[in-house]
Amino acid sequence: MGGTVDILKPTVHFDGGQAGRIVVADSLSFYEHDSWLNDVALGASFSGRTTAAMALRGGVKAWIAHEGGPGKDEAGIGGLPLSDQFGVPAAAVRTMEARLSGGRTLLAAHIARANNTAKALGVREGMTGEEAAHAMLKAKPNVRRTLEGMTDEDIHEMAATPRGKIYAVWSSSRVEGKHPNDVYCLASHGARVMTLYVLRIAPRGIICNDAGMGLDNSGCEGLWELDEHKICAATVSTDSARIGDVMSTYNDGVISAANETAKKAGVFVGMKAADAAHKMLELG
């Protein structure tokens, strides 16, 4: 699994020398642990607070991601004002023009929203992601940050039964060990990168956000891969639950897609996420 993650790490799309680089990845999570202080980062995650925090921790000088709906309370773009607080340019491309977990599709997609810091550099709605990234090269080199207390990355126990537990956490990347008897309600998307982290913890089931589905319904395509591992998997509509909000998937979510393993457990489109999570516990 580690090798697969390495393959998907950021690659250089454009090297502007002293002006910096434009780097592309299938997820903003791949910018979290290294330094990218003179780089404009494109990552095919939603543009929420939790994903913005990952880019900011890596110190990127600007970033572009996916609009993710923007969904309930416009949570899919909540990271744009967060980045403004630190003077970091940020923008989101239109939901249906780019793939979740498809970094290079951000280049041709058009900008839907930009924060004030990005607008000051000339980034405008309707630009392509590539045009916006080149404008962002004018940003100053950045620094790495911890952002402690600015996002909820704790694991919350929502229910305990004789068959297993239900947890809420924004991403399964925050979970350690194997959990074959448990179900996780995630606040991240259901695209391909999601499976890299879910397979490491091997839960009984997961429920995540569809991020507005995106190009080619990529926001839920990770569900089908989890079918191969007999893991129940479903998404909730981004209009029903705030993407990136740890508690919202379980408390607010309404199922928008389910894989065959989840359907066998009794999960169906239109079901409340909390009910679906309990159904998943019953399978096994």
Side-chain angles (χ1 to χ4, degrees), residues 28-39 41 51-63 142-147:
L28 287 177
S29 65
F30 298 138
Y31 296 105
E32 185 173 27
H33 300 294
D34 296 315
S35 293
W36 308 89
L37 307 186
N38 201 30
D39 297 316
T51 46
M54 293 190 293
L56 293 168
R57 288 189 188 108
V60 303
K61 72 175 185 178
W63 60 270
N142 204 355
V143 297
R144 299 189 71 182
R145 298 178 172 84
T146 60
L147 276 77

Side-chain angles (χ1 to χ4, degrees), residues 7-53:
I7 291 171
L8 296 174
K9 280 190 174 181
T11 57
V12 177
H13 173 69
F14 174 79
D15 191 338
Q18 291 185 344
R21 304 180 302 175
I22 297 171
V23 287
V24 179
D26 288 347
S27 173
L28 287 177
S29 65
F30 298 138
Y31 296 105
E32 185 173 27
H33 300 294
D34 296 315
S35 293
W36 308 89
L37 307 186
N38 201 30
D39 297 316
V40 176
L42 280 77
S45 304
F46 65 99
S47 301
R49 288 180 62 87
T50 47
T51 46

Side-chain angles (χ1 to χ4, degrees), residues 154-165:
D154 292 336
I155 301 171
H156 302 267
E157 184 179 305
M158 307 304 290
T161 79
R163 300 185 70 87
K165 295 182 178 181

Side-chain angles (χ1 to χ4, degrees), residues 59-74:
V60 303
K61 72 175 185 178
W63 60 270
I64 299 172
H66 193 280
E67 187 182 22
K72 186 178 177 69
D73 297 333
E74 295 198 327

Side-chain angles (χ1 to χ4, degrees), residues 72-217:
K72 186 178 177 69
D73 297 333
E74 295 198 327
I77 54 171
L80 303 187
L82 176 63
S83 290
D84 260 336
Q85 292 181 37
F86 299 100
V88 175
V93 302
R94 295 173 184 167
T95 297
M96 301 311 295
E97 292 188 8
R99 292 174 56 84
L100 279 304
S101 296
R104 298 197 70 81
T105 65
L106 300 177
L107 293 165
H110 294 88
I111 299 298
R113 306 286 185 96
N115 69 0
N116 292 330
T117 313
K119 289 177 181 177
L121 296 179
V123 177
R124 297 290 181 267
E125 294 178 12
M127 273 184 168
T128 66
E130 181 157 17
E131 290 169 339
H134 279 277
M136 288 174 168
L137 284 172
K138 293 178 289 187
K140 295 179 181 179
N142 204 355
V143 297
R144 299 189 71 182
R145 298 178 172 84
T146 60
L147 276 77
E148 290 182 10
M150 299 196 74
T151 58
D152 182 356
E153 304 195 31
D154 292 336
I155 301 171
H156 302 267
E157 184 179 305
M158 307 304 290
T161 79
R163 300 185 70 87
K165 295 182 178 181
I166 299 171
Y167 294 100
V169 61
W170 99 259
S171 169
S172 56
S173 65
R174 272 42 185 169
V175 181
E176 299 292 335
K178 302 289 185 180
H179 297 268
N181 297 319
D182 301 323
V183 172
Y184 284 83
C185 292
L186 310 175
S188 190
H189 61 70
R192 184 166 53 91
V193 167
M194 172 272 294
T195 65
L196 297 176
Y197 296 113
V198 168
L199 289 174
R200 292 193 305 194
I201 69 171
R204 179 170 295 178
I206 62 102
I207 301 173
C208 43
N209 195 294
D210 67 18
M213 289 297 183
L215 184 64
D216 301 326
N217 286 331

